[in-house]
């Protein structure tokens, strides 16, 4: 199966790709932008069927900035399949955004480089409401976004471990952020994950208060639900387009699948209202993921959510982490 190749330990990352990714990261840390220098300025360019998800932009005050992801330490140090994770570091910021343009084949971002002091200052100025946007959609082929298989992904003990590894920083941040609130619960609360994968994320969240957090998982992949049943109280096999919880019943919903390479942008926008409907008044929806979130604050507000934060900061990195509330 094509989508399984990236998770096959027998097919490691191409050595030339690995070498170039490491070199690009080294150059960014050193402030060397020569690989992107052109006669008219500096330009980041990616094929839409290549790695356009590495490009991101964000705004601070009146200025927009451009960024470029490089290979994740999870891949380099721990042999995780793939190339990127959700984390962004100071050196991933390249400079002031000047323009961007797409064609049917590629995405191009032009920027004005900043020195290290300025790049670190920009990174430090990122707040919980600084929205990190990945504007270019990854395509499987021209005109068709890359998504998961119709019946979801297969799973194995090895893949379970890799999926867990790529979310370590997210799980830790989630428990730190919600620990005070959910650890003090005196009544039961439903925590729902409509694409629960192996159930590890939601089960880890429930350790904040096992006596009060009732876990409900759902997944398109039958194989995933078999794994999740050993970790969650309720597990349903089915498409998130048809959420299992009763409307208005969930206290918190975690979305880790309205993301690049999982669903298409149009599917993400179509699925969102149904998930919001499962929330009780004042309930919380969190959107995150290993790959870029396909929705933005405008989409979320349009679905009746109040956006409380869009970005998380932990240690020396930041990453997309949308926290929203129903009502208000």
């Amino acid at each position: 199966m094509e989508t399984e190749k990236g998770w096959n330990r027998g097919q490691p990352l191409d050595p030339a790709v690995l070498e170039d990714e490491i070199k690009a990261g080294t150059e960014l840390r050193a402030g060397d932008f020569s690989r992107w220098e052109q006669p008219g300025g500096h330009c980041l360019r990616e094929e839409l069927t290549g790695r356009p998800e590495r490009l991101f932009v964000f705004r601070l005050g009146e200025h927009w900035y451009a960024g470029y992801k490089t290979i994740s330490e999870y891949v380099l140090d721990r042999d995780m399949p793939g190339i990127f994770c959700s984390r962004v570091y100071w050196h991933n910021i390249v400079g002031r955004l000047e323009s961007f343009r797409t064609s049917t084949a590629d995405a191009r971002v032009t920027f004005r480089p900043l020195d290290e002091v300025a790049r670190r200052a920009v990174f430090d100025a990122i707040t919980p409401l600084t929205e990190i946007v990945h504007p270019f959609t990854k395509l499987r082929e021209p005109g068709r976004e890359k998504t998961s298989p119709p019946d979801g992904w297969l799973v194995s003990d090895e893949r379970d471990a890799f999926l867990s590894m790529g979310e370590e920083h997210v799980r830790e941040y989630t428990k730190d952020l919600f620990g005070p609130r959910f650890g003090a619960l005196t009544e039961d609360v439903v925590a729902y994950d409509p694409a629960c994968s192996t159930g590890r994320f939601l089960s880890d969240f429930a350790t904040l208060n096992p006596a009060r957090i009732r876990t409900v998982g759902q997944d398109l992949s039958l194989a995933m639900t078999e794994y999740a049943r050993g970790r969650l109280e309720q597990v349903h096999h089915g498409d998130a387009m048809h959420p299992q919880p009763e409307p208005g019943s969930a206290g918190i919903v975690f979305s880790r699948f309205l993301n690049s390479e999982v669903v298409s942008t149009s599917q993400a926008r179509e699925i969102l209202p149904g998930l919001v409907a499962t929330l009780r008044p004042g309930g919380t929806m969190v959107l995150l993921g290993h790959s870029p979130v396909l929705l933005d604050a405008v989409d979320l507000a349009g679905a009746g959510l109040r956006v409380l934060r869009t970005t998380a900061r932990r240690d020396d990195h930041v990453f997309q982490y949308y926290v929203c509330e129903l009502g208000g």
Side-chain angles (χ1 to χ4, degrees):
M1 180 179 294
E2 179 182 0
T3 53
E4 293 301 302
K5 291 181 180 178
W7 294 90
N8 187 340
R9 291 293 295 276
Q11 297 181 358
L13 195 62
D14 186 297
V17 173
L18 179 61
E19 181 180 359
D20 190 62
E21 287 293 329
I22 294 173
K23 183 179 179 182
T26 300
E27 291 169 353
L28 284 175
R29 288 179 178 87
D32 177 4
F33 302 107
S34 57
R35 69 162 61 204
W36 300 292
E37 188 172 5
Q38 297 185 2
H42 288 78
C43 178
L44 307 171
R45 180 185 172 278
E46 291 290 328
E47 297 288 334
L48 295 179
T49 53
R51 301 185 181 96
E53 71 275 21
R54 77 191 312 156
L55 305 176
F56 63 91
V57 299
F58 61 95
R59 181 178 178 177
L60 291 176
E62 297 180 354
H63 302 296
W64 283 86
Y65 297 89
Y68 184 90
K69 280 189 177 181
T70 49
I71 193 166
S72 170
E73 284 85 353
Y74 286 137
V75 179
L76 292 176
D77 300 336
R78 302 174 65 178
D79 201 25
M80 185 182 78
I83 296 182
F84 310 121
C85 66
S86 63
R87 297 175 296 182
V88 170
Y89 296 85
W90 75 265
H91 61 266
N92 295 126
I93 298 169
V94 295
R96 185 81 59 82
L97 175 68
E98 294 196 321
S99 70
F100 61 82
R101 184 178 296 275
T102 60
S103 71
T104 57
D106 65 1
R108 187 192 72 189
V109 173
T110 59
F111 68 97
R112 185 184 311 164
L114 296 173
D115 63 22
E116 179 176 334
V117 172
R119 291 162 69 201
R120 286 184 179 274
V122 168
F123 177 79
D124 291 342
I126 293 173
T127 75
L129 284 174
T130 301
E131 191 170 18
I132 298 171
V133 178
H134 296 259
F136 308 113
T137 305
K138 187 178 184 72
L139 304 183
R140 182 178 299 278
E141 57 192 32
R144 181 185 170 205
E145 288 185 45
K146 186 175 182 180
T147 62
S148 66
D151 296 326
W153 284 310
L154 299 176
V155 68
S156 63
D157 291 345
E158 183 180 48
R159 175 170 237 189
D160 180 25
F162 283 137
L163 289 170
S164 175
M165 180 194 307
E167 289 186 333
E168 281 182 1
H169 61 290
V170 180
R171 292 199 307 273
E172 292 169 359
Y173 179 83
T174 298
K175 292 175 73 172
D176 288 346
L177 181 64
F178 290 107
R181 173 182 161 193
F182 283 83
L185 290 173
T186 57
E187 297 180 352
D188 286 0
V189 155
V190 172
Y192 172 48
D193 188 338
C196 65
S197 184
T198 63
R200 188 181 295 269
F201 181 91
L202 196 58
S203 64
D204 190 63
F205 172 76
T207 63
L208 291 174
N209 194 335
R212 293 300 183 187
I213 298 175
R214 307 274 71 85
T215 54
V216 179
Q218 181 174 340
D219 204 275
L220 184 64
S221 166
L222 181 60
M224 289 287 192
T225 62
E226 294 302 320
Y227 266 76
R229 284 195 175 94
R231 293 171 174 155
L232 306 179
E233 295 178 55
Q234 292 185 40
V235 179
H236 304 275
H237 175 224
D239 195 323
M241 186 70 74
H242 309 289
Q244 287 298 314
E246 292 293 325
S249 65
I252 188 166
V253 173
F254 290 102
S255 169
R256 300 178 300 125
F257 77 109
L258 299 180
N259 299 68
S260 173
E261 300 184 64
V262 184
V263 298
S264 68
T265 304
S266 61
Q267 286 174 328
R269 290 171 176 161
E270 187 177 0
I271 292 169
L272 177 64
L275 300 184
V276 173
T278 67
L279 287 170
R280 67 189 190 186
T284 301
M285 185 168 184
V286 182
L287 297 95
L288 57 138
H290 186 77
S291 59
V293 178
L294 292 172
L295 303 174
D296 55 28
V298 172
D299 294 309
L300 301 172
L305 296 169
R306 183 164 66 97
V307 179
L308 304 179
R309 68 173 62 210
T310 62
T311 300
R313 182 181 293 273
R314 185 172 180 84
D315 301 327
D316 57 352
H317 57 269
V318 297
F319 52 94
Q320 287 184 308
Y321 194 96
Y322 289 80
V323 179
C324 309
E325 183 179 87
L326 180 62

